[in-house]
Amino acid sequence: MKPGLADVCPDLPASSTRNGLDPHPLLGAFFEALDGDRAGWCVLRGVADLHAPAGDVDLLVAPADGPRLAAAADRLGFARLPARRRGSHAFYLAYDPDGDLWLKLDVVTELAFGPKFELPSAAAADCLRRRHRASGVPVLARPDAFWALLLHRLLDRGRIGDAARELRRLAADPDCADSPLAREVDELGAPGCASAVLLDAARRGQWERLEALAPELAAAWARARRGAVRRRRAVARLWRLA
């Protein structure tokens, strides 16, 4: 007989049938371990899908607290997976036999965008400082959640896809213009992709307009961070050769 989740982690709370911010018991134990270790972290995406995640659970952690997160993952039975050419991403995987569910953590120590994460952002530390708790779970402030999701969709994927509804909900926050990510977009010096332009399009649900701006936004980001982008692209080429 395969051991159940309660056998592997006997201190876990009983499973709940609620959804939303009621995390899966193993995730809940992991989150509590991070808080107990005083790690700086928050859920980056997938906040409303923590009870039975359909995909990765995306987390942002302060660089200095990466070892604490790795130790907590190991204690709770998460196996670390290889993550070559994936920027600061670290992946951890665990299986819940009781629910026949795989749980995969996608952990980053920085915010970086683009298909190869070659477009770095300096906003991660500010976003972590601005986080708040929802039902006990640290999450991004709503303005930061909007920009993190919008930039992820435009710069990483080039399309809005099924994030449209969530983006429009988050865009309604009156403080969206004050996010550190919004200020970073404005610092790129591309008037056609200014934060006010992108925010207005999201509030109006103009998704095709936003997708059409994605190449211009990526090019402006690459120009503004030229040195860092070149280094990251060179490292990606070396990995491919290796």
Side-chain angles (χ1 to χ4, degrees):
M1 179 182 298
K2 292 183 179 179
L5 185 61
D7 300 313
V8 177
C9 301
D11 296 329
L12 290 179
S15 294
S16 166
T17 59
R18 297 197 308 275
N19 292 316
L21 291 187
D22 175 38
H24 182 281
L26 186 52
L27 288 178
F30 179 65
F31 294 167
E32 289 179 6
L34 293 180
D35 286 342
D37 289 342
R38 298 181 180 276
W41 71 282
C42 71
V43 176
L44 188 57
R45 282 184 292 273
V47 170
D49 193 30
L50 293 176
H51 186 71
D56 296 358
V57 177
D58 296 314
L59 306 179
L60 174 65
V61 63
D65 293 327
R68 291 187 176 95
L69 184 143
D74 184 64
R75 291 197 304 270
L76 289 167
F78 284 87
R80 184 162 182 172
L81 304 178
R84 293 178 179 176
R85 291 181 290 173
R86 298 286 292 178
S88 73
H89 288 248
F91 299 102
Y92 298 87
L93 189 67
Y95 179 63
D96 169 14
D98 294 336
D100 189 23
L101 178 69
W102 287 99
L103 298 170
K104 185 180 179 184
L105 308 175
D106 182 354
V107 182
V108 294
T109 56
E110 68 169 357
L111 294 175
F113 305 102
K116 300 179 179 64
F117 312 102
E118 71 273 21
L119 305 175
S121 164
D126 284 338
C127 288
L128 280 174
R129 279 193 292 269
R130 288 161 49 89
R131 70 191 187 277
H132 68 277
R133 288 186 179 267
S135 301
V137 178
V139 299
L140 290 174
R142 280 171 60 106
D144 302 340
F146 166 76
W147 287 105
L149 180 57
L150 180 67
L151 295 172
H152 166 62
R153 287 290 179 156
L154 292 182
L155 297 176
D156 298 2
R157 300 188 180 186
R159 58 188 300 272
I160 297 297
D162 59 5
R165 183 177 179 180
E166 177 67 1
L167 282 170
R168 198 159 192 180
R169 182 185 72 83
L170 292 169
D173 191 286
D175 294 326
C176 270
D178 295 327
S179 168
L181 284 165
R183 293 193 293 272
E184 194 165 36
V185 167
D186 288 334
E187 290 167 1
L188 300 178
C193 296
S195 65
V197 173
L198 303 180
L199 180 57
D200 179 69
R203 285 174 171 167
R204 295 173 182 270
Q206 297 174 341
W207 310 121
E208 290 184 0
R209 178 188 175 196
L210 282 167
E211 290 171 354
L213 290 172
E216 182 182 348
L217 179 61
W221 207 298
R223 287 194 301 271
R225 306 283 190 274
R226 186 175 292 109
V229 171
R230 285 177 176 173
R231 287 192 296 273
R232 289 170 184 243
R233 287 175 175 170
V235 169
R237 285 195 295 271
L238 289 173
W239 274 116
R240 284 198 301 273
L241 291 172

